[in-house]
Amino acid sequence: MILLSILLFKTGLAFTLFLITLGIAAYSTYFERKVAAFMQDRVGPNRAGPLGLLQPIADGVKMIFKEEHRPTGSNRILFILGPSIAMLTALMTTAVVPWGKTITIGGTAYSLQVADINVGILYVFGVVSLGVYGILIGGWSSNNKYSLLGAVRASSQMISYELAMGLSIIPIILGSSSLQLSDIVTSQYEVWNIFKYPLGFLIFLICAFAETNRTPFDLPECETELVGGYHTEYTSMKLGFFLFSEYVNMFASSAVISTLFFGGYHFPGMSLFPEGIAAILGIAVLFGKIIFFIFFFMWIRWTIPRFRYDQLMHLGWQVLMPMAILLIVIYGAIFSFI
Amino acid sequence: MQLTNRSKQVSNKEMTFSERMYLPAIAGGLRVTFSHMFKKSATVQYPEQVREHSAVFRGQHVLKRDAEGRENCTACGLCAVACPAEAITIVAEERKKGEEHLYREEKYAAVYDINMLRCIFCGLCEEACPKDAIYLTDRIVTSNYERADFIFHKEDLVEAVALEGRIDITKRKKDK
């Protein structure tokens, strides 16, 4: 009976999470345009519905009804598989993020996490690196040299930054001596990881920007300079999936950053509240952190210009990688001797 | 020659460590973009909000009537002659008996067309008119899908007989 209720709860949680992820990603597109407008002293979308709030729906309808086109000589199955993989992997990431404290209802403890697997953070990296397949397959199956070049460029960027990203969180894993995300969050009950590993956070943040293809690392999708890159040949909702998966990724990486470095659902003065209220407040706080990071992504977008490709590679391999390795050495020494 | 005091001396010096880190510069940039979040936007919400034109704005033409509602235009053709773009076409007609309440003088324009695609809104027709009949107003020529729709006929140009439909051209009259 308890097992069944937990199973039902997990299914419900997974489904809610799916809807929340899609909803937040859809409204990020609106939010992005609004933030862009405000930063450029404009108004932004305000025609569809009150304050333009129906804009994402209008965009979605437009995307679905646009003409579908597949270039001749392209691989039909892979051409459809590309955006699907991009979307699927983007949606899978948030499964291991702990969204709140364990809630006890009627004597049964429900953890607000779809899957509390003991290699949580490795799962995140594994799934994120699968996202490269979506891009590469999409670019290759288009039967277009430039798309292929764009895909190679994009995937090499993502692979390069994933290394530094993976290395930058090793101090955290050493500190909490667990790969489980729930353990990492619990270990931040007193001090958030950002105060313990500020440099690691910086490296992780920069890599997260590169992984989600956001400015200043949005080289895969600069239409004007590089003709769109891997998704040049995509139209209608297939293109929409590629673009939408970027927003889902942005939400997922904001969630992972909040979990790894900003204490997840913890907030100062949490012990002052009774158990149940603290748990609910914790969820709200986590979403607040996530929304702040989504805003931060957009904030950066309108501040820093795009990198040149060689600068991008230089930063990834010659600055961030050595720095991350150095951090591992330093923190390793600290944890083993002190 | 120094035109402003904003110029900066450019040098080839090596960047300092903090400059090479770029982070202080990025923080400065973030501060600038964030401050713009709270600035007033420059947008004019067009259909609802219309930006006021200057008093000398030259927009769509109007053919005026006199105080009794009769058309001022006598089809003398001076506007068509003055028009550098040759946008105006006039066909004159003689006023019949019983039409005195429609046209002020014995001759009137049966056809008065302005091709808005040719018109350069120079205002020479207005200056040429001896009868105070044609004026340029502050109205904007509407956009259309067909070229033919840009040829404005007399019914598009003559103002209404009713007083409330009349178009105010007092600002332009002063200039004359």
Side-chain angles (χ1 to χ4, degrees), chain A residues 38 41 46-47 299 302-303, chain B residues 29-30 33 36 41-42 45 48:
Chain A
F38 290 146
D41 302 339
N46 65 349
R47 294 285 145 167
W299 189 7
W302 301 107
T303 304
Chain B
L30 287 173
T33 41
H36 275 266
S41 74
Q45 305 263 336
E48 293 93 36

Side-chain angles (χ1 to χ4, degrees), chain B residues 114-118 142-153:
Chain B
I114 301 177
N115 186 341
M116 290 298 175
L117 293 173
R118 301 199 63 145
T142 49
S143 50
N144 278 310
Y145 289 106
E146 305 289 330
R147 294 185 76 82
D149 294 338
F150 281 104
I151 296 170
F152 279 47
H153 303 295

Side-chain angles (χ1 to χ4, degrees), chain A residues 129-196:
Chain A
S129 50
L130 282 179
V132 175
Y133 281 93
I135 287 175
L136 199 57
I137 287 173
W140 184 80
S141 65
S142 297
N143 191 28
N144 176 338
K145 293 181 197 67
Y146 298 100
S147 289
L148 179 60
L149 283 173
V152 169
R153 201 176 55 219
S155 46
S156 61
Q157 169 189 332
M158 289 179 81
I159 290 165
S160 311
Y161 276 82
E162 213 157 83
L163 288 165
M165 194 182 204
L167 292 175
S168 72
I169 59 146
I170 285 180
I172 292 183
I173 295 166
L174 289 175
S176 63
S177 51
S178 171
L179 287 165
Q180 211 163 343
L181 277 170
S182 54
D183 283 354
I184 293 174
V185 172
T186 332
S187 73
Q188 297 177 73
Y189 184 65
E190 270 156 12
V191 189
W192 291 358
N193 276 340
I194 168 81
F195 301 113
K196 288 191 208 155

